[in-house]
Amino acid sequence: MEVDEEYREVINRFFELYRELQKSNDLTLHCSFSMYSDGIIEVWERKGKETNCICKVEEKEDIACYEKAMGVLKMHSWEGGKVYGKKAG
């Protein structure tokens, strides 16, 4: 499989999962990818007036970043939405 095809497939799987979780949660996504620094994916969940980071992943390779973020989001949903990250504010 070509790198571009693999990249496209991983992004599609990530956003399928993210959109599915968005149906039952108030989520916000922040992504940053650059040639000069590690890629970052953060997912924030709002419950009432509180906003918590439920996923923060940093990886050198973009594909690895998306795959790791998918794992964190799957674990978060299986564990009933426990919050492990920091609070916004």
Side-chain angles (χ1 to χ4, degrees):
M1 181 181 310
E2 273 187 40
V3 173
D4 289 342
E5 187 177 324
E6 182 182 8
Y7 184 74
R8 193 174 16 255
E9 182 181 310
V10 168
I11 290 174
N12 285 336
R13 284 188 295 135
F14 173 82
F15 279 102
E16 280 179 22
L17 174 62
Y18 177 76
R19 283 190 295 272
E20 187 64 34
L21 291 173
Q22 252 188 335
K23 291 177 183 177
S24 58
N25 302 287
D26 186 5
L27 301 180
T28 304
L29 174 68
H30 169 78
C31 298
S32 177
F33 293 94
S34 167
M35 289 177 52
Y36 306 106
S37 63
D38 292 352
I40 299 172
I41 296 176
E42 293 180 341
V43 178
W44 295 80
E45 180 178 41
R46 182 181 310 228
K47 288 187 178 182
K49 293 183 179 182
E50 282 193 12
T51 303
N52 297 296
C53 184
I54 61 168
C55 173
K56 182 173 182 180
V57 174
E58 293 184 46
E59 290 288 332
K60 289 183 187 220
E61 299 295 325
D62 296 359
I63 291 172
C65 195
Y66 279 106
E67 288 175 339
K68 191 171 181 180
M70 278 190 285
V72 171
L73 290 177
K74 286 177 183 177
M75 189 181 320
H76 177 75
S77 67
W78 289 332
E79 293 181 352
K82 293 180 183 174
V83 175
Y84 298 103
K86 57 187 176 184
K87 294 186 180 187

